[in-house]
Amino acid sequence: MEAFRIQGGDRLKGTVSVPGAKNSVLKLMAAALLAEGTTVLRNVPEILDVRIMCELLRRLGCGIDYDPAAGRVAIDVPAEIGHRADYELVRAMRASICVLGPLTTRLGAAHVALPGGDAIGSRGLDMHQAGLEALGATVRLDHGYFIAEAPEGLRGTEVRLEFPSVGATENLLMAATLARGTTVIDNVAREPEIVDLCTMLARMGARIEGIGSSTLSVTGVERLSAVEHRVVGDRIVAGTWAFAAAVTGGDVTVEGVDPAIMTTVLEKLELAGCRISTGEGETFRVEGPERPHAIRVATLPYPGFPTDLQPFVVTLNAVSDGLGMLTENLFEARWRFVRELARLGAQVSIDGRHAVITGVGELSGAPVEASDIRAGAALVIAGIVASGITEVTGVDHIDRGYERFAERLRALGARIERVAYEQRSLEELADLADGGGREGTSS
Ligand code: EPU
């Protein structure tokens, strides 16, 4: 096991570059399945989830050429591909469910294991199921697998999502591209990553209207062609750096993301006392205050405040000069992280969907454990502002979504290293409890 060991007390200063978005690239890789030939993606982040997706596509029969250093992946999709995504991979990464739409529409069958994924709530698949059924597939659950079948192909229809689910929007959108006739999907998610997916699909030959709006109209085509595409910058990683500057009273310039897709986040940071400068193109600067003001945030689908940044809001409020509030409207179990933050001295009380956070003068370093990608990154940032040493275990969660996180933090002035972390066995703990060894010790 590994951990990040952080010596707290530094303000982050400098420039950091942000790669392509995890939550876009994984879906773009799945979209490659829709077309025979070689799809090339650029600005691909060097993260664990991309490797898992490469393996999933490889097992479906695709040839993969992934060059992490160049941020490039080439996916060679043959005429014949498999239709089964194994539990081993889907369990490791919930986003694997996004192959469901492409496989069902291209092959008329998909067997995808039900995901596990992050420990952030129940995250149902009912809208994925209802949407595919409306498109003419039969869907059933069999021995832990989600099985969708449409031997005659899918046909266009009207679907209204109960809630603008990111995953359901993506699966149904991709399924509709090769369906017969027109599919109108109402109340879709409008995240920039979905716009990115629509943009690539349109370049592949898909006929999509309403890109970026709440209603997508997709007219199915016979076939799509493989293209080259640059992945949109990761606004959640960019937001992580922005909050890191705010929490540590630092001064960070973020490159690689258009600040126009982060308006809600940057406005909240201004309320926290940050100075935000946006220039031309994909860059912005965040100058943090001596001590942030407490802020009130409610997470909502885009263009609302992203749920993926809520652990950073809690961290900022924890060191603020007042009483902050966070309402989590998307994932009911995203509070596990709060218990860990409390180990650093944060004062947070939870009532249902609401967290009330009382700012304290200082956090104090302690060992803590990451429960998901964002919680992990937020605990690291809390460690940078805490006094003394903080050790964050569960770094594999952080690796899933953050490219060379410790290296980038060091470049901004943080004292952080990746260390081996020994998990003691029960026998060793018993030994310790006995005073250092069971044999020959007396008290
Ligand atoms: N939901 C249902 N039924 C469905 C679909 C969703 O009840 O059929 C519920 C979920 O249980 C959840 C809510 O709707 O409470 C939101 O789910 P959504 O489908 O929008 O999210 P997702 O596609 O599972 C993606 C991101 C998440 C991000 C959410 C919300 C990927 C791979 N994941 O998940 O990112 O939090 O959208 O923006 O794109 C992360 O990157 O750390 C992460 C968790």
Side-chain angles (χ1 to χ4, degrees):
M1 244 171 88
E2 288 182 309
F4 283 135
R5 179 177 292 147
I6 305 134
Q7 167 71 58
D10 295 307
R11 292 171 187 268
L12 300 186
K13 290 204 163 86
T15 299
V16 66
S17 71
V18 173
K22 166 179 88 70
N23 291 347
S24 190
V25 71
L26 301 173
K27 327 305 170 64
L28 300 174
M29 291 173 78
L33 292 168
L34 292 164
E36 199 184 323
T38 306
T39 294
V40 177
L41 299 173
R42 290 179 289 109
N43 202 28
V44 173
E46 191 179 349
I47 54 173
L48 193 57
D49 275 11
V50 167
R51 290 185 191 279
I52 297 175
M53 196 61 171
C54 286
E55 184 55 27
L56 200 161
L57 295 181
R58 223 177 257 126
R59 290 192 197 180
L60 289 172
C62 303
I64 303 287
D65 179 7
Y66 176 34
D67 181 348
R72 178 183 182 277
V73 65
I75 303 158
D76 188 16
V77 181
E80 302 282 318
I81 53 171
H83 62 262
R84 186 178 163 92
D86 290 327
Y87 180 52
E88 191 196 342
L89 290 172
V90 183
R91 183 175 157 211
M93 186 184 71
R94 186 181 197 275
S96 316
I97 196 73
C98 66
V99 298
L100 184 64
L103 292 180
T104 311
T105 199
R106 169 126 189 249
L107 308 174
H111 296 197
V112 180
L114 282 178
D118 292 348
I120 55 173
S122 61
R123 308 176 80 183
L125 295 174
D126 49 314
M127 284 183 263
H128 300 245
Q129 173 170 358
L132 284 176
E133 282 172 345
L135 280 155
T138 57
V139 175
R140 65 194 155 88
L141 183 69
D142 193 34
H143 296 293
Y145 277 75
F146 193 100
I147 298 188
E149 281 166 345
E152 306 297 320
L154 298 174
R155 50 175 158 65
T157 185
E158 287 187 12
V159 185
R160 187 182 157 74
L161 299 181
E162 215 174 286
F163 170 89
S165 150
V166 169
T169 300
E170 291 160 342
N171 259 327
L172 300 180
L173 164 68
M174 289 192 273
T177 57
L178 295 177
R180 278 192 316 279
T182 299
T183 304
V184 178
I185 320 169
D186 198 13
N187 197 26
V188 294
R190 291 183 285 155
E191 269 66 3
E193 296 76 30
I194 288 178
V195 173
D196 200 27
L197 175 61
C198 288
T199 307
M200 181 169 114
L201 290 170
R203 292 180 48 222
M204 290 168 79
R207 290 174 54 198
I208 308 173
E209 282 171 33
I211 296 177
S213 78
S214 294
T215 306
L216 291 172
S217 172
V218 187
T219 302
V221 293
E222 275 293 309
R223 67 180 53 77
L224 297 172
S225 332
V227 292
E228 188 167 334
H229 181 83
R230 184 179 191 277
V231 184
V232 69
D234 197 317
R235 69 195 161 97
I236 304 299
V237 171
T240 301
W241 295 119
F243 269 92
V247 171
T248 65
D251 179 355
V252 175
T253 299
V254 181
E255 289 176 350
V257 174
D258 181 354
I261 62 171
M262 298 189 56
T263 311
T264 315
V265 172
L266 298 179
E267 279 173 5
K268 286 293 176 190
L269 285 171
E270 273 178 335
L271 290 175
C274 295
R275 221 169 84 180
I276 311 285
S277 331
T278 56
E280 289 288 297
E282 298 195 324
T283 179
F284 62 91
R285 178 178 176 190
V286 180
E287 292 166 87
E290 196 60 34
R291 189 174 175 192
H293 304 313
I295 50 174
R296 291 175 169 236
V297 170
T299 64
L300 283 171
Y302 189 84
F305 193 95
T307 173
D308 290 341
L309 290 179
Q310 66 103 311
F312 306 96
V313 174
V314 177
T315 306
L316 179 137
N317 278 331
V319 296
S320 74
D321 59 7
L323 197 69
M325 180 130 163
L326 191 285
T327 302
E328 173 54 58
N329 288 313
L330 277 86
F331 294 116
E332 74 276 15
R334 215 161 193 170
W335 296 132
R336 264 175 70 169
F337 140 87
V338 167
R339 286 203 295 271
E340 297 300 304
L341 199 63
R343 305 201 69 248
L344 303 180
Q347 288 186 16
V348 187
S349 60
I350 308 283
D351 184 5
R353 293 187 170 276
H354 311 286
V356 177
I357 309 112
T358 309
V360 293
E362 193 179 64
L363 297 178
S364 73
V368 285
E369 188 178 356
S371 54
D372 69 62
I373 305 178
R374 313 302 169 189
L379 287 169
V380 167
I381 287 163
I384 296 171
V385 81
S387 63
I389 306 255
T390 296
E391 266 184 356
V392 181
T393 48
V395 296
D396 43 333
H397 284 295
I398 301 172
D399 292 341
R400 285 190 45 205
Y402 290 89
E403 181 182 285
R404 300 197 294 272
F405 196 47
E407 191 185 305
R408 288 194 158 110
L409 282 165
R410 274 196 299 274
L412 295 175
R415 282 168 290 168
I416 174 169
E417 48 181 343
R418 202 172 170 119
V419 295
Y421 184 85
E422 272 178 51
Q423 177 113 27
R424 291 197 165 102
S425 67
L426 281 177
E427 285 76 18
E428 286 170 312
L429 290 173
D431 264 2
L432 286 174
D434 278 353
R438 264 173 254 169
E439 289 169 14
T441 50
S442 57
S443 53

